[in-house]
Amino acid sequence: MAGAARVLWRESRRRRCWGPEAARATALVGFPQLPGCRQKSSHSFLSRPDNPNLAYHKLKGKNPGVVFLSGFLSNMNGNKALALEDYCKSVGHAFVRFDYRGCGSSEGDVKECTLGKWRKDVLAVLDELTQGPQILVGSSLGGWLMLHAAIARPEKVAALVGVAAAADYLVSTYQQLPVELKKEIEEKGEWKVPTKHNEEGVYSVPYGLIQEAENHCVLTSPLPIKCPVRLIHGIKDEDVPWETSMKIAERVVSTDVDIILRKAGHHRMKEKEDIKLIIYTVEDLIEELST
């Protein structure tokens, strides 16, 4: 990659000397019981006259702020989003998590969603709910959308953190299917994608979403992204191979790119040590952007 990325093999992150605020944050970060211990809080809505209203939670604080972009058909209440929110609260930085249209508590019909519409949701959140430079943390599909946001709002996006970033992966996976299966999907208007991440065991993906997503592929040419980029990926990811993060690193024009491979990491990156690594990565970027 001609120096475009430094590949860092890490089974554990280096120990640090924590200040009092960061020490409080580590007491909150990454523990599976954390979300269950939380008081349920009501969410706010971003009203949009011509588009579905988006549910969100927002913390006011210092810049750079942090915005979490969730994965495919996921929501803003996952362990990674909540741990990042707790960290930002402990150190006084702004934070936003939200649900795409058709997902979680946001309005809209998921069957009518497309990647382009979710891209608009991300840009609306950046434009309406944030001020100043932001660090985008994109998980899976959110890692694809964060690349689009960085291109569309270069003055707003100060850094990117991809967590098992799934750039182009929906399209590339579909294109590798047998011709007979693709014909069947086209006729039925739906692709049943096997998954271990829900009770049904499948994701029902509208064929129209796949078609439209082809217009938003990003790995076919250089990406005019000049900010720092950190790409965290698990080698045991069975959904999106870690080589996808390598491809992203090759395409972005920024030279400040790190690929962090977790030998024991899976796609969701939701274990305690996974989440601590994500927090450490965001912390490093905050320090870098604040000096």
Side-chain angles (χ1 to χ4, degrees):
M1 287 184 291
R6 299 189 301 276
V7 182
L8 307 178
W9 292 77
R10 302 179 182 180
E11 292 190 10
S12 63
R13 184 74 170 179
R14 69 182 185 275
R15 294 185 178 273
R16 297 156 183 252
C17 295
W18 299 96
E21 286 184 333
R24 286 198 301 273
T26 56
L28 297 170
V29 166
F31 291 88
Q33 69 269 27
L34 172 63
C37 295
R38 278 184 163 223
Q39 296 287 332
K40 287 190 176 180
S41 57
S42 59
H43 43 255
S44 302
F45 279 94
L46 175 60
S47 298
R48 304 185 297 170
D50 301 321
N51 288 283
N53 296 334
L54 301 180
Y56 71 91
H57 283 266
K58 176 180 178 180
L59 288 178
K60 293 183 179 179
K62 297 179 291 186
N63 285 331
V66 178
V67 180
F68 183 78
L69 311 182
S70 57
F72 184 65
L73 301 183
S74 188
N75 60 59
M76 60 176 163
N77 296 317
N79 283 5
K80 294 187 290 292
L82 298 182
L84 279 167
E85 182 176 71
D86 285 333
Y87 168 74
C88 287
K89 184 176 181 180
S90 73
V91 295
H93 278 261
F95 179 80
V96 176
R97 55 186 170 97
F98 69 100
D99 288 332
Y100 310 123
R101 71 180 76 195
C103 299
S105 298
S106 288
E107 297 177 356
D109 185 349
V110 70
K111 294 181 180 179
E112 298 176 358
C113 290
T114 64
L115 197 86
K117 290 178 179 179
W118 286 332
R119 175 184 177 275
K120 288 182 179 179
D121 294 345
V122 175
L123 297 182
V125 167
L126 280 175
D127 293 342
E128 302 296 331
L129 299 181
T130 70
Q131 295 80 39
Q134 303 295 313
I135 298 170
L136 304 190
V137 181
S139 176
S140 192
L141 175 84
W144 188 355
L145 292 170
M146 77 177 185
L147 299 172
H148 279 283
I151 294 169
R153 299 289 186 273
E155 74 289 348
K156 202 74 173 281
V157 178
L160 300 176
V161 178
V163 182
D168 296 7
Y169 197 64
L170 187 66
V171 175
S172 61
T173 303
Y174 176 78
Q175 290 174 342
Q176 293 170 15
L177 296 176
V179 174
E180 297 79 8
L181 181 54
K182 286 194 283 188
K183 184 177 181 181
E184 180 183 336
I185 293 169
E186 184 176 350
E187 291 174 350
K188 291 183 177 179
E190 188 178 52
W191 180 19
K192 296 285 189 180
V193 183
T195 180
K196 300 177 182 177
H197 305 311
N198 63 23
E199 293 180 359
E200 295 78 16
V202 295
Y203 285 135
S204 296
V205 182
Y207 178 61
L209 191 156
I210 303 166
Q211 285 183 301
E212 196 273 347
E214 293 179 358
N215 300 322
H216 303 286
C217 290
V218 294
L219 299 182
T220 56
S221 59
L223 298 174
I225 295 172
K226 299 180 181 180
C227 65
V229 179
R230 306 291 179 261
L231 300 166
I232 304 171
H233 220 120
I235 292 179
K236 293 186 177 181
D237 190 333
E238 296 179 353
D239 297 286
V240 180
W242 59 265
E243 287 88 351
T244 303
S245 284
M246 302 290 285
K247 293 176 183 177
I248 295 171
E250 290 172 348
R251 289 300 183 186
V252 297
V253 300
S254 174
T255 57
D256 187 359
V257 179
D258 286 350
I259 303 171
I260 304 169
L261 299 177
R262 278 193 60 76
K263 186 174 181 179
H266 294 267
H267 183 64
R268 285 292 179 93
M269 295 290 289
K270 64 179 182 179
E271 302 302 323
K272 175 182 173 181
E273 293 303 316
D274 297 334
I275 294 178
K276 287 172 70 173
L277 174 59
I278 296 167
I279 298 295
Y280 292 152
T281 303
V282 171
E283 181 204 24
D284 281 346
L285 287 168
I286 287 176
E287 291 178 359
E288 180 180 329
L289 295 170
S290 299
T291 56

